[in-house]
Amino acid sequence: MSLQQDAAKAAMIRWLANPAELGKAPKKIEAAGEFELHGLIYYIFKYKKTALGKWLVGVCGGYEAGEMDHCGHVFSEMQPYDESTAQQHCTDMVEMLRSYWMEQALATGSDDYFI
């Protein structure tokens, strides 16, 4: 596992532990792949809320090559992990996040949100 992937895993755990999400760290979490989108690197994670729970899918990223800070695209819809569709599902989540922040930028007249 690369240092960047380690940073992504830690960020995913922090996001999941937020009270508005799982409210605690997942019982299990594993890296399940990576992909590039819009010139940035994204990491796919599968995680379990409980030891006997189903694997769920999440994404963390927006990393430039060699960087340890992501652009803020950390998300999960807490949907079941399926290896055959995980990358497309994560791509869809990232595009949803990008769309949201672009709309925020347009609403405020700022380009600070464009990622």
Side-chain angles (χ1 to χ4, degrees), residues 8-47:
K9 182 178 179 180
M12 187 86 239
I13 292 169
R14 279 190 306 276
W15 186 88
L16 289 166
N18 184 293
E21 306 310 332
L22 286 182
K24 62 181 181 175
K27 193 67 171 174
K28 293 183 180 183
I29 186 168
E30 296 179 8
E34 66 182 74
F35 62 98
E36 188 173 320
L37 184 65
H38 304 293
L40 299 172
I41 301 165
Y42 290 87
Y43 295 94
I44 301 167
F45 292 97
K46 61 182 185 177
Y47 65 92

Coordinates of all heavy atoms in Angstrom, one line a residue, residues 8-47:
A8 N -5.4 8.1 2.1 CA -6.8 8.0 1.7 C -7.6 7.1 2.6 O -8.8 7.4 3.0 CB -6.9 7.4 0.2
K9 N -7.1 6.0 3.0 CA -7.7 5.1 4.0 C -8.0 5.8 5.3 O -9.1 5.7 5.8 CB -6.9 3.8 4.2 CG -7.5 2.8 5.1 CD -6.6 1.6 5.3 CE -7.2 0.5 6.2 NZ -6.4 -0.6 6.3
A10 N -7.1 6.5 5.8 CA -7.3 7.3 7.1 C -8.4 8.3 6.9 O -9.2 8.5 7.8 CB -6.0 7.9 7.5
A11 N -8.4 9.0 5.7 CA -9.4 10.0 5.5 C -10.8 9.3 5.4 O -11.8 9.9 5.9 CB -9.1 10.8 4.2
M12 N -10.9 8.2 4.7 CA -12.1 7.5 4.6 C -12.7 7.1 6.0 O -13.8 7.2 6.3 CB -11.9 6.2 3.7 CG -13.2 5.5 3.4 SD -14.0 6.2 1.9 CE -15.6 6.7 2.6
I13 N -11.8 6.6 6.8 CA -12.1 6.2 8.2 C -12.7 7.4 9.0 O -13.7 7.3 9.7 CB -11.0 5.5 8.9 CG1 -10.7 4.1 8.3 CG2 -11.3 5.3 10.4 CD1 -9.4 3.5 8.7
R14 N -11.9 8.5 8.9 CA -12.4 9.7 9.6 C -13.8 10.2 9.1 O -14.6 10.5 9.9 CB -11.4 10.9 9.4 CG -10.2 10.8 10.3 CD -9.4 12.1 10.2 NE -9.0 12.5 8.9 CZ -7.9 12.0 8.2 NH1 -7.1 11.2 8.8 NH2 -7.6 12.5 7.0
W15 N -14.0 10.1 7.8 CA -15.3 10.5 7.2 C -16.4 9.6 7.7 O -17.4 10.1 8.1 CB -15.2 10.5 5.7 CG -16.4 11.1 5.0 CD1 -16.7 12.4 4.7 CD2 -17.6 10.3 4.6 NE1 -17.9 12.5 4.1 CE2 -18.5 11.2 4.1 CE3 -17.9 9.0 4.7 CZ2 -19.7 10.8 3.6 CZ3 -19.2 8.6 4.2 CH2 -20.1 9.5 3.6
L16 N -16.1 8.3 7.7 CA -17.1 7.3 8.1 C -17.4 7.5 9.6 O -18.6 7.3 10.1 CB -16.7 5.9 7.9 CG -16.7 5.5 6.4 CD1 -15.9 4.2 6.2 CD2 -18.2 5.4 5.9
A17 N -16.4 7.9 10.4 CA -16.6 8.0 11.9 C -17.4 9.3 12.2 O -17.9 9.4 13.4 CB -15.3 8.1 12.6
N18 N -17.6 10.2 11.3 CA -18.4 11.4 11.6 C -19.8 11.0 12.0 O -20.4 10.1 11.5 CB -18.5 12.2 10.3 CG -19.2 13.5 10.5 OD1 -20.4 13.6 10.8 ND2 -18.4 14.6 10.4
P19 N -20.3 11.7 13.0 CA -21.7 11.4 13.5 C -22.8 11.5 12.5 O -23.8 10.8 12.6 CB -21.9 12.5 14.6 CG -20.6 12.9 15.0 CD -19.7 12.8 13.8
A20 N -22.6 12.2 11.4 CA -23.6 12.3 10.3 C -23.5 11.1 9.4 O -24.3 10.9 8.5 CB -23.4 13.6 9.6
E21 N -22.4 10.3 9.5 CA -22.3 9.1 8.7 C -22.5 7.9 9.5 O -23.5 7.7 10.0 CB -20.9 9.2 8.0 CG -20.6 10.5 7.2 CD -21.8 10.9 6.2 OE1 -22.5 10.0 5.7 OE2 -21.9 12.1 6.0
L22 N -21.4 7.0 9.7 CA -21.6 5.8 10.5 C -21.6 6.2 12.0 O -22.1 5.5 12.8 CB -20.4 4.8 10.3 CG -20.4 4.0 9.0 CD1 -19.2 3.1 9.0 CD2 -21.7 3.2 8.8
G23 N -20.9 7.3 12.3 CA -20.8 7.7 13.7 C -19.7 6.9 14.5 O -19.5 7.1 15.7
K24 N -19.0 6.1 13.8 CA -17.8 5.3 14.3 C -17.0 4.8 13.2 O -17.4 4.8 12.0 CB -18.3 4.2 15.2 CG -19.1 3.2 14.4 CD -19.6 2.0 15.3 CE -20.4 1.0 14.5 NZ -20.8 -0.1 15.2
A25 N -15.8 4.4 13.5 CA -14.9 3.8 12.5 C -15.5 2.5 12.0 O -16.2 1.8 12.8 CB -13.5 3.6 13.0
P26 N -15.4 2.1 10.8 CA -15.9 0.8 10.3 C -15.2 -0.3 11.1 O -14.0 -0.1 11.5 CB -15.6 0.8 8.8 CG -14.4 1.8 8.7 CD -14.6 2.8 9.7
K27 N -15.8 -1.4 11.2 CA -15.2 -2.6 11.8 C -14.1 -3.1 11.0 O -13.1 -3.6 11.5 CB -16.3 -3.6 12.1 CG -15.9 -4.7 13.0 CD -15.7 -4.2 14.4 CE -15.4 -5.3 15.4 NZ -15.1 -4.8 16.7
K28 N -14.3 -3.1 9.7 CA -13.3 -3.6 8.7 C -13.3 -2.6 7.6 O -14.3 -2.1 7.1 CB -13.6 -5.0 8.2 CG -13.5 -6.1 9.2 CD -13.8 -7.4 8.5 CE -13.7 -8.5 9.5 NZ -13.8 -9.9 8.9
I29 N -12.1 -2.4 7.0 CA -11.9 -1.6 5.8 C -10.7 -2.1 5.0 O -9.7 -2.4 5.6 CB -11.8 -0.1 6.1 CG1 -11.8 0.8 4.8 CG2 -10.6 0.2 6.9 CD1 -12.0 2.3 5.0
E30 N -10.9 -2.2 3.7 CA -9.8 -2.6 2.8 C -9.8 -1.8 1.5 O -10.9 -1.4 1.0 CB -10.1 -4.1 2.4 CG -10.0 -5.1 3.5 CD -10.3 -6.5 3.1 OE1 -10.4 -6.8 1.9 OE2 -10.4 -7.4 4.0
A31 N -8.6 -1.6 1.0 CA -8.5 -0.9 -0.3 C -9.0 -1.9 -1.3 O -8.7 -3.1 -1.2 CB -7.0 -0.6 -0.6
A32 N -9.8 -1.4 -2.3 CA -10.4 -2.3 -3.3 C -10.1 -1.9 -4.7 O -10.6 -2.4 -5.7 CB -11.9 -2.4 -3.1
G33 N -9.2 -0.9 -4.9 CA -8.8 -0.5 -6.2 C -8.6 1.0 -6.3 O -8.7 1.7 -5.3
E34 N -8.2 1.5 -7.4 CA -8.0 2.9 -7.7 C -8.3 3.2 -9.1 O -8.3 2.3 -10.0 CB -6.6 3.3 -7.3 CG -5.5 2.8 -8.1 CD -4.1 3.2 -7.7 OE1 -3.6 2.7 -6.6 OE2 -3.5 4.0 -8.3
F35 N -8.5 4.5 -9.4 CA -8.8 4.9 -10.8 C -8.4 6.4 -10.9 O -8.3 7.1 -9.9 CB -10.3 4.7 -11.2 CG -11.3 5.4 -10.4 CD1 -11.8 6.6 -10.8 CD2 -11.7 4.9 -9.1 CE1 -12.8 7.3 -10.1 CE2 -12.7 5.6 -8.4 CZ -13.2 6.8 -8.9
E36 N -8.3 6.8 -12.1 CA -8.0 8.2 -12.4 C -9.2 8.9 -13.0 O -9.9 8.3 -13.9 CB -6.8 8.4 -13.3 CG -6.3 9.8 -13.5 CD -5.0 9.9 -14.3 OE1 -4.1 9.1 -14.1 OE2 -5.0 10.8 -15.1
L37 N -9.5 10.1 -12.6 CA -10.7 10.8 -13.2 C -10.3 12.3 -13.1 O -9.9 12.8 -12.1 CB -11.9 10.5 -12.3 CG -13.2 11.2 -12.8 CD1 -13.6 10.6 -14.2 CD2 -14.3 10.9 -11.8
H38 N -10.5 13.0 -14.2 CA -10.2 14.4 -14.3 C -8.7 14.7 -13.9 O -8.5 15.8 -13.2 CB -11.2 15.3 -13.5 CG -12.6 15.0 -13.9 ND1 -13.1 15.4 -15.1 CD2 -13.6 14.4 -13.2 CE1 -14.4 15.1 -15.1 NE2 -14.7 14.5 -14.0
G39 N -7.8 13.8 -14.2 CA -6.4 14.0 -13.9 C -6.1 13.8 -12.4 O -4.9 14.1 -12.0
L40 N -7.0 13.3 -11.6 CA -6.8 13.0 -10.2 C -6.9 11.5 -9.9 O -7.6 10.8 -10.6 CB -7.8 13.8 -9.3 CG -7.7 15.4 -9.5 CD1 -8.8 16.0 -8.8 CD2 -6.4 15.9 -9.0
I41 N -6.3 11.1 -8.8 CA -6.3 9.7 -8.4 C -7.3 9.5 -7.3 O -7.4 10.3 -6.4 CB -4.9 9.3 -7.9 CG1 -3.9 9.5 -9.0 CG2 -4.9 7.8 -7.4 CD1 -2.4 9.4 -8.5
Y42 N -8.1 8.5 -7.4 CA -9.2 8.1 -6.5 C -9.0 6.7 -6.0 O -8.6 5.8 -6.8 CB -10.6 8.3 -7.1 CG -10.9 9.7 -7.3 CD1 -10.6 10.3 -8.5 CD2 -11.6 10.4 -6.4 CE1 -10.9 11.7 -8.7 CE2 -12.0 11.7 -6.6 CZ -11.6 12.3 -7.8 OH -11.9 13.7 -8.0
Y43 N -9.3 6.5 -4.7 CA -9.2 5.1 -4.1 C -10.5 4.6 -3.8 O -11.4 5.3 -3.2 CB -8.3 5.2 -2.9 CG -6.9 5.5 -3.3 CD1 -6.4 6.8 -3.2 CD2 -6.0 4.6 -3.8 CE1 -5.1 7.2 -3.6 CE2 -4.7 4.9 -4.2 CZ -4.3 6.2 -4.1 OH -3.0 6.5 -4.5
I44 N -10.8 3.3 -4.1 CA -12.0 2.6 -3.8 C -11.8 1.8 -2.5 O -10.7 1.1 -2.4 CB -12.4 1.7 -4.9 CG1 -12.6 2.5 -6.2 CG2 -13.7 0.9 -4.5 CD1 -12.7 1.6 -7.5
F45 N -12.7 1.9 -1.6 CA -12.6 1.1 -0.3 C -13.9 0.3 -0.2 O -15.0 0.8 -0.5 CB -12.4 2.0 0.9 CG -11.1 2.7 0.9 CD1 -10.9 4.0 0.4 CD2 -9.9 2.0 1.3 CE1 -9.7 4.6 0.3 CE2 -8.7 2.6 1.3 CZ -8.6 3.9 0.8
K46 N -13.7 -0.9 0.4 CA -14.9 -1.6 0.9 C -14.7 -1.7 2.4 O -13.6 -1.8 2.9 CB -14.9 -3.0 0.2 CG -13.8 -3.9 0.4 CD -14.0 -5.2 -0.3 CE -12.9 -6.2 0.0 NZ -13.1 -7.5 -0.6
Y47 N -15.9 -1.6 3.0 CA -15.8 -1.5 4.5 C -17.1 -2.2 5.0 O -18.1 -2.4 4.4 CB -15.7 -0.1 5.0 CG -16.9 0.8 4.7 CD1 -18.0 0.9 5.5 CD2 -17.0 1.4 3.4 CE1 -19.1 1.7 5.2 CE2 -18.1 2.2 3.1 CZ -19.1 2.3 4.0 OH -20.2 3.1 3.7

